[in-house]
Coordinates of all heavy atoms in Angstrom, one line a residue:
R441 N 50.2 61.2 52.0 CA 51.5 61.9 51.7 C 51.8 62.9 52.8 O 52.2 64.1 52.4 CB 51.4 62.5 50.3 CG 51.3 61.6 49.2 CD 51.1 62.3 47.8 NE 50.8 61.4 46.8 CZ 50.5 61.8 45.5 NH1 50.5 63.1 45.2 NH2 50.3 60.9 44.6
N442 N 51.7 62.5 54.0 CA 52.0 63.4 55.2 C 51.1 64.5 55.3 O 51.4 65.5 56.0 CB 53.5 63.9 55.1 CG 54.5 62.7 55.2 OD1 54.3 61.8 56.0 ND2 55.5 62.7 54.4
R443 N 50.0 64.5 54.6 CA 49.0 65.6 54.8 C 48.0 65.3 55.8 O 47.7 64.1 56.1 CB 48.3 65.9 53.4 CG 49.1 66.4 52.3 CD 48.3 66.4 51.0 NE 48.0 65.0 50.6 CZ 47.5 64.7 49.3 NH1 47.4 65.7 48.5 NH2 47.2 63.5 49.0
S444 N 47.5 66.3 56.5 CA 46.3 66.1 57.4 C 45.1 65.8 56.6 O 45.0 66.2 55.5 CB 46.2 67.3 58.2 OG 44.9 67.3 58.9
I445 N 44.1 65.1 57.2 CA 42.9 64.8 56.6 C 42.1 66.1 56.3 O 41.1 66.1 55.5 CB 42.0 63.8 57.2 CG1 41.6 64.3 58.7 CG2 42.7 62.4 57.3 CD1 40.5 63.5 59.2
S446 N 42.5 67.2 57.0 CA 41.8 68.5 56.6 C 42.0 68.9 55.2 O 41.2 69.7 54.7 CB 42.4 69.6 57.6 OG 43.8 69.7 57.3
F447 N 43.0 68.2 54.5 CA 43.2 68.5 53.0 C 41.9 68.2 52.3 O 41.6 68.7 51.2 CB 44.3 67.6 52.6 CG 44.5 67.6 51.1 CD1 45.1 68.7 50.4 CD2 44.1 66.6 50.3 CE1 45.2 68.8 49.0 CE2 44.2 66.6 48.9 CZ 44.8 67.7 48.3
L448 N 41.1 67.2 52.8 CA 39.8 66.8 52.1 C 38.9 68.0 52.0 O 38.1 67.9 51.1 CB 39.2 65.7 52.9 CG 40.0 64.4 53.0 CD1 39.2 63.4 54.0 CD2 40.3 63.7 51.7
T449 N 38.9 68.9 52.8 CA 38.1 70.1 52.8 C 38.3 71.0 51.6 O 37.5 71.8 51.3 CB 38.1 71.0 54.0 OG1 39.5 71.5 54.2 CG2 37.8 70.1 55.3
T450 N 39.4 70.8 50.9 CA 39.8 71.6 49.7 C 39.3 71.0 48.5 O 39.3 71.6 47.4 CB 41.3 71.8 49.6 OG1 41.9 70.5 49.3 CG2 41.9 72.3 50.9
L451 N 38.8 69.7 48.5 CA 38.3 69.0 47.3 C 37.0 69.5 46.9 O 36.1 69.8 47.7 CB 38.4 67.5 47.5 CG 39.8 66.9 47.8 CD1 39.7 65.4 48.0 CD2 40.7 67.2 46.7
P452 N 36.6 69.5 45.6 CA 35.3 69.8 45.1 C 34.3 68.7 45.6 O 34.6 67.6 45.8 CB 35.4 69.8 43.6 CG 36.7 69.0 43.3 CD 37.6 69.2 44.5
I453 N 33.0 69.2 45.6 CA 31.9 68.3 46.0 C 31.1 67.8 44.9 O 30.7 68.6 44.1 CB 31.0 69.0 47.1 CG1 31.9 69.2 48.4 CG2 29.8 68.1 47.4 CD1 31.1 69.9 49.4
Q454 N 31.0 66.5 44.7 CA 30.1 66.0 43.6 C 29.3 64.8 44.2 O 29.7 64.2 45.2 CB 31.0 65.4 42.5 CG 31.9 66.5 41.8 CD 32.8 65.8 40.8 OE1 32.9 64.6 40.6 NE2 33.5 66.7 40.0
D455 N 28.1 64.5 43.6 CA 27.3 63.4 44.1 C 28.1 62.1 43.8 O 28.8 62.0 42.8 CB 26.0 63.3 43.3 CG 25.1 64.4 43.7 OD1 25.3 65.0 44.8 OD2 24.2 64.7 42.9
D456 N 28.0 61.2 44.8 CA 28.8 59.9 44.6 C 27.9 58.9 45.3 O 28.0 58.7 46.5 CB 30.1 60.0 45.3 CG 31.1 58.9 44.9 OD1 30.6 57.7 45.0 OD2 32.3 59.1 44.6
S457 N 27.3 58.0 44.5 CA 26.5 56.9 45.0 C 27.3 55.9 45.8 O 26.8 55.2 46.7 CB 25.7 56.2 43.9 OG 24.8 57.2 43.3
L458 N 28.6 55.7 45.5 CA 29.4 54.7 46.1 C 29.7 55.2 47.6 O 29.7 54.4 48.5 CB 30.7 54.5 45.4 CG 31.6 53.4 46.0 CD1 30.9 52.1 46.1 CD2 32.9 53.2 45.1
L459 N 29.8 56.4 47.8 CA 30.1 57.0 49.1 C 28.9 56.9 49.9 O 28.9 56.8 51.1 CB 30.6 58.4 49.1 CG 32.1 58.6 48.6 CD1 32.5 60.1 48.7 CD2 33.0 57.8 49.6
A460 N 27.7 57.1 49.3 CA 26.4 56.9 50.0 C 26.3 55.5 50.5 O 25.7 55.3 51.6 CB 25.2 57.2 49.1
L461 N 26.7 54.5 49.7 CA 26.7 53.1 50.2 C 27.6 52.9 51.4 O 27.3 52.3 52.4 CB 27.0 52.2 49.0 CG 27.2 50.7 49.4 CD1 26.0 50.1 50.0 CD2 27.6 49.9 48.1
C462 N 28.8 53.5 51.2 CA 29.9 53.4 52.2 C 29.4 54.0 53.6 O 29.6 53.4 54.6 CB 31.2 54.1 51.8 SG 32.1 53.2 50.5
Q463 N 28.6 55.1 53.4 CA 28.1 55.8 54.6 C 27.2 54.8 55.4 O 27.3 54.8 56.7 CB 27.3 57.0 54.2 CG 26.7 57.8 55.4 CD 25.9 59.0 54.9 OE1 25.9 59.3 53.7 NE2 25.3 59.7 55.8
Q464 N 26.3 54.1 54.7 CA 25.4 53.2 55.4 C 26.2 52.0 56.1 O 25.8 51.6 57.2 CB 24.3 52.7 54.4 CG 23.5 53.8 53.8 CD 22.9 54.7 54.8 OE1 22.4 54.3 55.9 NE2 22.9 56.0 54.5
I465 N 27.1 51.5 55.4 CA 28.0 50.4 55.9 C 28.7 50.9 57.1 O 28.9 50.1 58.1 CB 28.8 49.8 54.8 CG1 28.0 49.3 53.6 CG2 29.7 48.7 55.4 CD1 28.8 48.9 52.4
N466 N 29.2 52.0 57.0 CA 30.0 52.7 58.1 C 29.1 52.7 59.4 O 29.6 52.4 60.5 CB 30.4 54.1 57.8 CG 31.5 54.6 58.5 OD1 32.5 53.9 58.7 ND2 31.4 55.8 59.0
I467 N 27.9 53.1 59.3 CA 26.9 53.1 60.4 C 26.7 51.7 61.0 O 26.7 51.5 62.2 CB 25.6 53.7 59.9 CG1 25.7 55.2 59.6 CG2 24.5 53.6 61.1 CD1 24.5 55.9 58.9
C468 N 26.5 50.7 60.1 CA 26.3 49.4 60.5 C 27.5 48.9 61.3 O 27.4 48.2 62.3 CB 26.1 48.4 59.3 SG 24.4 48.6 58.6
A469 N 28.7 49.1 60.7 CA 29.9 48.7 61.4 C 30.1 49.3 62.8 O 30.5 48.7 63.7 CB 31.2 49.0 60.5
M470 N 29.7 50.6 62.9 CA 29.8 51.3 64.2 C 28.9 50.7 65.2 O 29.3 50.4 66.3 CB 29.6 52.8 64.0 CG 29.7 53.6 65.3 SD 29.7 55.4 65.0 CE 27.9 55.6 64.4
Y471 N 27.6 50.6 64.8 CA 26.6 50.1 65.8 C 26.8 48.6 66.2 O 26.2 48.2 67.1 CB 25.2 50.4 65.3 CG 24.8 51.8 65.5 CD1 24.7 52.8 64.4 CD2 24.5 52.3 66.8 CE1 24.3 54.1 64.7 CE2 24.2 53.7 67.0 CZ 24.0 54.5 65.9 OH 23.7 55.8 66.1
S472 N 27.4 47.9 65.3 CA 27.7 46.5 65.6 C 29.0 46.2 66.3 O 29.3 45.1 66.5 CB 27.6 45.6 64.4 OG 28.5 46.0 63.3
G473 N 29.7 47.3 66.6 CA 31.0 47.2 67.3 C 32.1 46.7 66.4 O 33.2 46.3 67.0
K474 N 32.0 46.7 65.1 CA 33.1 46.2 64.3 C 34.0 47.3 64.0 O 34.2 47.8 62.9 CB 32.5 45.6 63.0 CG 31.6 44.4 63.1 CD 31.0 44.0 61.8 CE 30.0 42.9 62.0 NZ 30.6 41.6 62.3
L475 N 34.8 47.7 64.9 CA 35.7 49.0 64.8 C 36.8 48.7 63.9 O 37.2 49.7 63.2 CB 36.2 49.3 66.3 CG 35.0 49.7 67.3 CD1 35.7 50.3 68.5 CD2 34.1 50.7 66.7

Side-chain angles (χ1 to χ4, degrees):
R441 299 177 185 174
N442 293 319
R443 295 171 296 193
S444 165
I445 61 162
S446 61
F447 173 76
L448 299 174
T449 63
T450 68
L451 298 178
I453 295 178
Q454 298 176 352
D455 289 340
D456 192 316
S457 296
L458 184 56
L459 284 181
L461 172 60
C462 288
Q463 180 182 357
Q464 301 306 318
I465 299 170
N466 200 49
I467 293 170
C468 287
M470 180 171 66
Y471 280 108
S472 60
K474 299 177 182 290
L475 298 187

